[in-house]
Amino acid sequence: MDQSDEFISVKVEDAIGIVELNRPDVLNALNRHMVSEVVGAFERLDRDESVKVILLMGRGRAFAAGADIKEMAGANPVDFELLDPFAPWDRMTLIKKPIIGAVHGFALGGGFELALSCDLLFAAEDARFGFPEVNLGVMPGAGGTQRLTKLLGKTRAMEWLLSGETFSAEEALQWGIVNRTIPQSLLIEETKRFARKLAGKPPLSLRLIKESVHMAVDATISEGMKQERKNFYLLFASEDQKEGMKAFVEKRTAEFKGR
Ligand code: CO8
C-alpha cells in the first residue's frame, strides 16, 4: 500500500487491512522505524473507508521476538528522551477500527506488547509468550507491566515478569490473554474468516463498542456506563441503525454503509 515501508508489508483484502511484520531474519525484532511503520499503516487503514478491520501478523517463524536488542544496546536515557520511542505506541491506542493479532511462534518483550495492543488475539498452538526483558537487565516499556497485570492479576503477572519465562498458547488461552488457539497451518485462514465476519457488521457499532470496552479498562464503572450510554444514543443517529432494525423487521439481511 505504501511503497516506502521497509520493514512491513500492507495489503487490503475483503475489507481487511493486513499488516505483516517483515523482518523474518531477526524474528521480526522491532526497531523504532518498524514500529512507526506499523502505526502509520494502522492510521492509514483506519482512515480508509474500504477497510473495516485490521489484521496484524508476522512473517517467518515468529510474530515478533521483541524490541531490536542491537538497536537498543547502546542507548542512554537522553537518547530515549529525545527520540521519544514510545510516541508511536501511544498513537496506537487511538485507532478506531478493531485490530486482530494473529500470533505464531514467539511473541516476546515488545512483540508481546504489540500483541497486547491488539483488540483480539488469535494464537497458533505453537505460540510462546513472555517478557524476557529481566534477563537483559531491563524491563518492559511499552505497557507490558500494566497490560499483563490487568489481564492476569498481580500474582501471575509478577511471576512471569520477574522470572522472564515464556508461557504457551494454551496457558494464554486459559488466562484470557488470547481469544482462541488454532493449529498453526490454519491460523491465518481462521483469523481472516473471523475478520470477514466482523467486516460485515456496522462499522459505527464496532467503533463505539471498541471505545466503550477500552473505557472499561481504565475508567470507573459509573464513568464507563455514562460513556456507554452516550455511544448507545449516538448510534441512533446513524443510517445503519435505521437499516439494521428495518431489515430485522422485514426479515432480510441488512446492508450497512458505515454512516
Ligand atoms: N533483537 C534483535 N535481534 C533478534 C531478537 C531481538 N529481540 N530476537 C532474535 N533476534 C535475531 C537473532 O540475533 C538472530 O540473528 P542472527 O541470525 O543474525 O544471529 C535471529 O534473530 C534468529 O534468532 P536466534 O538464532 O536466537 O533464534 P532461536 O530460535 O535460537 O531463538 C529466541 C529464538 C529464543 C526468541 C531468541 O532469538 C531470543 O531470545 N531473542 C531475544 C528475545 C528477547 O529478549 N526479547 C526482548 C527484547 S527487549 C524488549 O522487547 C524491550 C521492549 C521495550 C519496549 C518496546 C520498544 C519497541
Side-chain angles (χ1 to χ4, degrees):
M1 200 166 128
D2 186 333
Q3 298 309 313
S4 64
D5 285 329
E6 192 182 347
F7 300 116
I8 62 169
S9 59
V10 184
K11 64 179 173 184
V12 176
E13 201 182 279
D14 295 338
I16 308 166
I18 303 173
V19 180
E20 188 174 38
L21 306 173
N22 189 10
R23 279 188 95 196
D25 293 350
V26 287
L27 307 183
N28 295 322
L30 302 161
N31 61 32
R32 277 193 308 279
H33 192 70
M34 188 173 174
V35 174
S36 289
E37 286 184 357
V38 170
V39 179
F42 284 174
E43 289 172 337
R44 290 196 304 278
L45 295 168
D46 214 25
R47 286 191 299 268
D48 182 340
E49 282 197 22
S50 72
V51 172
K52 310 292 183 217
V53 179
I54 298 170
L55 192 162
L56 177 66
M57 56 192 272
R59 183 171 299 179
R61 64 184 173 97
F63 176 78
D68 188 332
I69 297 170
K70 289 166 196 160
E71 182 187 66
M72 252 181 335
N76 66 51
V78 176
D79 293 335
F80 282 134
E81 177 60 28
L82 296 175
L83 290 167
D84 200 6
F86 296 112
W89 292 83
D90 293 340
R91 278 165 38 217
M92 227 180 289
T93 62
L94 302 175
I95 302 298
K96 311 281 189 198
K97 290 175 186 165
I99 305 174
I100 309 178
V103 175
H104 75 289
F106 292 105
L108 303 179
F112 190 14
E113 288 170 312
L114 186 58
L116 290 175
S117 304
C118 297
D119 301 303
L120 294 153
L121 273 185
F122 289 7
E125 286 166 352
D126 78 325
R128 291 211 69 85
F129 299 85
F131 283 114
E133 283 89 338
V134 66
N135 301 323
L136 301 168
V138 289
M139 62 179 284
T145 60
Q146 304 304 295
R147 289 209 167 103
L148 195 71
T149 306
K150 292 243 179 198
L151 279 167
L152 300 186
K154 177 191 149 195
T155 311
R156 286 190 180 121
M158 278 291 185
E159 180 178 339
W160 291 114
L161 286 155
L162 294 175
S163 72
E165 282 169 10
T166 59
F167 52 90
S168 67
E170 189 50 41
E171 288 166 295
L173 180 67
Q174 277 169 23
W175 299 337
I177 291 175
V178 304
N179 292 80
R180 58 191 70 176
T181 59
I182 297 169
Q184 194 191 335
S185 60
L186 298 176
L187 176 68
I188 300 308
E189 192 183 319
E190 288 297 314
T191 309
K192 282 183 181 170
R193 192 200 310 273
F194 186 87
R196 279 197 296 274
K197 204 154 62 169
L198 290 197
K201 309 282 182 201
L204 278 170
S205 293
L206 295 181
R207 175 184 175 118
L208 295 182
I209 289 169
K210 170 168 168 165
E211 183 189 276
S212 298
V213 173
H214 279 287
M215 183 96 188
V217 176
D218 285 332
T220 62
I221 277 270
S222 67
E223 284 166 342
M225 299 279 272
K226 270 188 215 140
Q227 183 70 32
E228 181 193 69
R229 210 151 295 163
K230 292 215 163 90
N231 285 347
F232 178 79
Y233 294 157
L234 180 56
L235 287 171
F236 280 75
S238 70
E239 291 173 29
D240 282 352
Q241 175 269 325
K242 308 284 177 273
E243 164 64 6
M245 294 196 174
K246 193 161 178 274
F248 175 81
V249 173
E250 293 171 359
K251 299 188 187 301
R252 61 174 173 83
T253 305
E255 282 182 36
F256 295 118
K257 297 198 180 89
R259 314 218 144 251

